[in-house]
Amino acid sequence: MTSRGTSPGTSRGLALGVIATGMLMTVLDGSIVTVAMPAIQSDLGFSPAGLSWVVNAYLIAFGSLLLLAGRLGDLIGRKRMFLAGTAVFTAASLLAGLATTPAVLIAARFLQGAGSAMASAVSLGILVTLFTEARERAKAIAVFSFTGAAGASLGQVLGGVLTDALDWHWIFYINLPIGLAALAAAVPALPRDRGRGLAAGADVIGALLVTGGLMLGIYTVVKVEEYGWSSTPTLGLGALSLALLAGFVVRQATAAQPLMPLRILRSRSVVGANLVQVLMVAALFSFQVLVALYLQKVLGYGAAATGLAMLPAAAVIGAVSLGVSARLNARFGERTVLLAGLTLLLGVLGLLARVPVQADYVTDLLPVMLLAAGFGLALPALTTLGMSDASEDDAGLASGLFNTTQQIGMALGVAVLSTLAASRTEGLLTAGTPQAEALTSGYRLAFTVGAGLIVAAFAVAVLVLRPGRQAPGGASSAAGSSPEYSTSRRETARVSAT
């Protein structure tokens, strides 16, 4: 049995702060760079195609390594994995800030993605073993979800301010004091865990298959805009990626010590939550990125003004996720709260699908930002469901899986919605439509498709996720009827008490 525990002086609040800080750095780094892209291109001499790799290198490394890092955290210790990942990310941020050539910056971004994957993959695993009581866990997950939901909007604000006031190098230098502080606090704050040992799941072949399959799949998706969906590179690389991932599943079903025991996929809550997350995150790409492009390219906002215009969304997401989501989950159950959040998000994309060329911020866009509160309801509920059946020894794996599906959703959102918007815009420009009108029409199409993805997510939540049953004391359990879940919760409580 794995040895777990915390020293008497360890504060769980400090540990939660460390985990949330790590999550915030990861999310900020994914969005802060977007507003600095023009300055980076001008300074380092990136080609238009090469510039996309400032984002793609991070996304490919991050998305493809999450599942492996989560499982390795279970085997060698989640605290060790978090510390190593934070150290790699911090060092890579320094390298990115010092970069003077495109090759160095791309390499640094790949290392940043790898470090983020190592730290992020085990964060939820650490959290659910620290907070074992239902209400406390719900509050902790609300804090964790807030940093993820609001971090993207804050990153756009911070990126614009730093780029305008200083220069683009500081969007990476800002990570250094945060990363070093997180490392210093993590050493005493995070619970000690030795892990089960590599012998309990050192499936090298499985690791190569899943990492190669995910890396190739994410690469294929992010290059769709360049090659097209029906091109030979897209179809060939996509088929190879699916073959590698299918081989991974077969390997896990037959290996004596699998990297990812397939028992984790027997839970309706885990499978349903991850499916909903893919659809929801893919849809919300159109909100996070395409709204920013609309503000800048159609309405003429600057980088900092764009971030400030989207700040109300971050504020309401934070207010809902930190202020009421835990209480609502405890009162009504995660599934019900998730459905309510998805309904609000459908309103977001429904309004955006009708956005005019000459929009007024207060009447046309502010209501959209306020309805984004639905994300503050949906994400904590999804996170709880996605981790609900994780046993003590599989918590890192469940955390890695949940984060992996989030990245897959982002990659699919980038590929599908941006390609649709660009194709519609290009066709209208060719026909002689004014640029602002053509761009707006393209964005509307993407918002409409995003709304369809939210409808699909709602349907999956209704059909796959079971209503949570009320636990004693008012706390809901989304997976309360699962024997494996009950056993793991008793075991977690017993270990924490020692």
Side-chain angles (χ1 to χ4, degrees):
M1 184 65 200
T2 306
S3 175
R4 303 283 198 277
T6 58
S7 60
T10 297
S11 166
R12 290 188 301 165
L14 179 59
L16 177 60
V18 169
I19 295 170
T21 299
M23 179 66 175
L24 184 63
M25 282 198 305
T26 296
V27 175
L28 282 175
D29 205 70
S31 62
I32 197 173
V33 72
T34 57
V35 296
M37 296 283 271
I40 293 173
Q41 182 177 19
S42 175
D43 192 21
L44 297 186
F46 272 99
S47 66
L51 185 64
S52 66
W53 282 99
V54 176
V55 174
N56 292 345
Y58 181 88
L59 180 62
I60 290 171
F62 186 30
S64 61
L65 294 173
L66 279 164
L67 192 61
L68 175 61
R71 188 54 174 169
L72 287 177
D74 290 329
L75 300 179
I76 68 173
R78 289 186 283 273
K79 179 176 181 177
R80 291 177 185 172
M81 184 61 69
F82 183 90
L83 292 173
T86 304
V88 170
F89 176 85
T90 305
S93 297
L94 176 60
L95 179 62
L98 295 173
T100 56
T101 66
V104 172
L105 181 58
I106 290 172
R109 290 288 288 165
F110 188 90
L111 289 174
Q112 277 189 309
S116 293
M118 295 165 66
S120 300
V122 296
S123 294
L124 278 172
I126 296 173
L127 187 150
V128 298
T129 56
L130 272 175
F131 297 90
T132 57
E133 195 274 323
R135 289 186 182 275
E136 290 183 342
R137 178 179 290 184
K139 293 177 181 178
I141 285 178
V143 172
F144 181 85
S145 299
F146 162 71
T147 60
S153 298
L154 294 175
Q156 291 175 326
V157 177
L158 188 59
V161 171
L162 289 174
T163 302
D164 288 346
L166 299 170
D167 59 49
W168 66 265
H169 298 274
W170 284 92
I171 67 173
F172 299 114
Y173 289 149
I174 194 68
N175 292 327
L176 300 182
I178 300 174
L180 292 174
L183 283 170
V187 173
L190 297 186
R192 296 184 300 271
D193 61 313
R194 294 179 301 182
R196 301 171 60 199
L198 290 175
D203 180 12
V204 177
I205 296 176
L208 293 175
L209 286 171
V210 70
T211 303
L214 288 172
M215 190 171 291
L216 190 59
I218 293 172
Y219 172 82
T220 303
V221 169
V222 299
K223 298 296 285 183
V224 161
E225 188 172 358
E226 179 179 343
Y227 294 127
W229 285 100
S230 59
S231 66
T232 300
T234 298
L235 295 177
L237 294 176
L240 180 56
S241 171
L242 291 175
L244 289 173
L245 293 175
F248 170 71
V249 173
V250 172
R251 171 70 182 178
Q252 300 316 287
T254 58
Q257 298 292 344
L259 182 72
M260 187 186 83
L262 296 182
R263 62 178 179 270
I264 196 172
L265 301 179
R266 296 173 188 164
S267 164
R268 291 171 65 98
S269 294
V270 171
V271 172
N274 280 280
L275 286 175
V276 170
Q277 178 169 233
V278 168
L279 295 166
M280 183 182 77
V281 172
L284 291 178
F285 165 80
S286 63
F287 173 76
Q288 178 183 331
V289 178
L290 295 184
V291 168
L293 290 175
Y294 168 77
L295 290 170
Q296 294 184 56
K297 293 188 175 184
V298 177
L299 300 185
Y301 284 35
T306 297
L308 290 173
M310 298 185 71
L311 192 58
V316 296
I317 290 170
V320 171
S321 60
L322 293 177
V324 300
S325 65
R327 291 197 295 271
L328 291 177
N329 284 333
R331 174 65 189 267
F332 299 107
E334 288 84 4
R335 178 179 179 268
T336 300
V337 175
L338 171 61
L339 294 175
L342 290 173
T343 301
L344 293 178
L345 293 177
L346 182 60
V348 168
L349 294 171
L351 289 176
L352 287 173
R354 303 175 60 188
V355 71
V357 177
Q358 296 181 347
D360 177 77
Y361 179 79
V362 173
T363 58
D364 295 316
L365 294 174
L366 185 58
V368 171
M369 303 300 169
L370 298 179
L371 285 175
F375 201 53
L377 292 177
L379 190 58
L382 265 183
T383 304
T384 301
L385 291 166
M387 297 296 296
S388 60
D389 282 352
S391 68
E392 171 76 3
D393 289 333
D394 290 338
L397 173 61
S399 175
L401 177 63
F402 189 77
N403 284 290
T404 298
T405 58
Q406 190 174 90
Q407 294 305 306
I408 291 173
M410 288 178 62
L412 287 173
V414 170
V416 175
L417 300 180
S418 62
T419 300
L420 288 173
S423 297
R424 168 67 66 85
T425 298
E426 184 179 352
L428 291 174
L429 289 174
T430 302
T433 304
Q435 183 175 11
E437 186 177 335
L439 285 168
T440 303
S441 181
Y443 297 145
R444 284 179 189 151
L445 175 61
F447 297 143
T448 302
V449 174
L453 293 174
I454 292 293
V455 171
F458 191 97
V460 171
V462 170
L463 296 174
V464 179
L465 297 175
R466 289 176 176 150
R469 67 182 176 89
Q470 208 70 13
S476 67
S477 172
S481 60
S482 167
E484 295 87 355
Y485 176 73
S486 301
T487 302
S488 68
R489 288 291 299 273
R490 288 195 299 269
E491 179 64 14
T492 300
R494 186 189 67 78
V495 172
S496 298
T498 57

